[in-house]
Amino acid sequence: MTVTPTPTPTAILTPELRTEHLAFRPYREQDEDVFVALLRDEEVCRWMGQERAPEPEIRMVFRSILTDVYPRRLFDVWGLWLEGAYAGHAEVKKTGNVEGHELVAALAPQYWGRGLGTEVVHGLLRHAADNLGLKEAYGMVGAENTASLAMCRRLGFRHLRDVVGDDGSVTKMLVINTTEPA
């Protein structure tokens, strides 16, 4: 699979990417409502290991992507599009858990079980290796998210350690070498 970056405006470091089925596009103002809907979805929040945040907070997060993350070039963040429809969210950013970068992906429930999660992670890994020069990347997956954990194992992620939250929830910290084909 080839991930082809396409030029984007100079104010945004995050390049557009393309995989076989998905377009990774930096967010635009008109994407706010679909971003909010994704991050307000109870199932998405559950599998991302986060509480469902109030809508105004999610809107503030979205606006900060446009007004802070992109202009300051803090990290790469995209909306994922399948045949013109919003399918999810993806990021490559420094993680506070270890020295390194974390891959973050969330698909809307109607796109689960179609192999798109694997395609997203492949795209993020190629971007991390080819465009960012990263030799490894990390992932954080809830211990109960068996589907995502199985996908990560198939892709070659290795378990580093468990991270236990204040509420007792367990998240698996995983690592993968970006220089080896997944």
Side-chain angles (χ1 to χ4, degrees):
M1 171 185 320
T2 302
V3 175
T4 309
T6 55
T8 58
T10 56
I12 300 173
L13 177 66
T14 301
E16 288 190 18
L17 305 175
R18 198 109 192 51
T19 59
E20 184 178 354
H21 299 100
L22 296 167
F24 292 56
R25 190 183 77 206
Y27 283 107
R28 303 172 189 165
E29 286 182 30
Q30 63 264 34
D31 300 332
E32 183 172 348
D33 289 339
V34 292
F35 175 87
V36 170
L38 177 73
L39 295 183
R40 291 273 301 149
D41 185 281
E42 288 187 41
E43 287 295 304
V44 171
C45 291
R46 175 178 171 223
W47 295 121
M48 288 185 73
Q50 64 187 36
E51 294 292 319
R52 191 167 163 244
E55 183 176 326
E57 285 181 28
I58 298 171
R59 290 191 183 281
M60 283 181 16
V61 167
F62 181 82
R63 290 182 191 126
S64 75
I65 290 170
L66 298 180
T67 62
D68 195 34
V69 173
Y70 288 147
R72 293 181 54 209
R73 299 178 174 185
L74 297 176
F75 57 91
D76 293 329
V77 57
W78 301 268
L80 302 171
W81 300 86
L82 176 67
E83 298 173 353
Y86 183 74
H89 173 85
E91 304 175 6
V92 176
K93 65 181 181 180
K94 287 189 179 182
T95 177
N97 296 304
V98 293
E99 286 292 322
H101 287 71
E102 181 178 356
L103 309 179
V104 178
L107 289 172
Q110 65 265 34
Y111 297 102
W112 295 354
R114 297 170 53 179
L116 294 173
T118 298
E119 188 170 327
V120 171
V121 173
H122 274 288
L124 293 175
L125 287 169
R126 291 292 49 88
H127 173 68
D130 298 345
N131 301 333
L132 301 177
L134 302 178
K135 297 200 182 333
E136 63 185 11
Y138 296 86
M140 301 290 290
V141 181
E144 295 178 5
N145 192 343
T146 56
S148 290
L149 288 170
M151 176 193 70
C152 288
R153 275 191 301 278
R154 283 191 309 272
L155 291 173
F157 281 85
R158 296 180 327 276
H159 178 259
L160 282 182
R161 69 174 183 259
D162 289 347
V163 178
V164 180
D166 293 338
D167 62 356
S169 63
V170 176
T171 302
K172 303 285 185 184
M173 179 183 285
L174 311 170
V175 65
I176 190 167
N177 182 330
T178 63
T179 60
E180 296 173 10

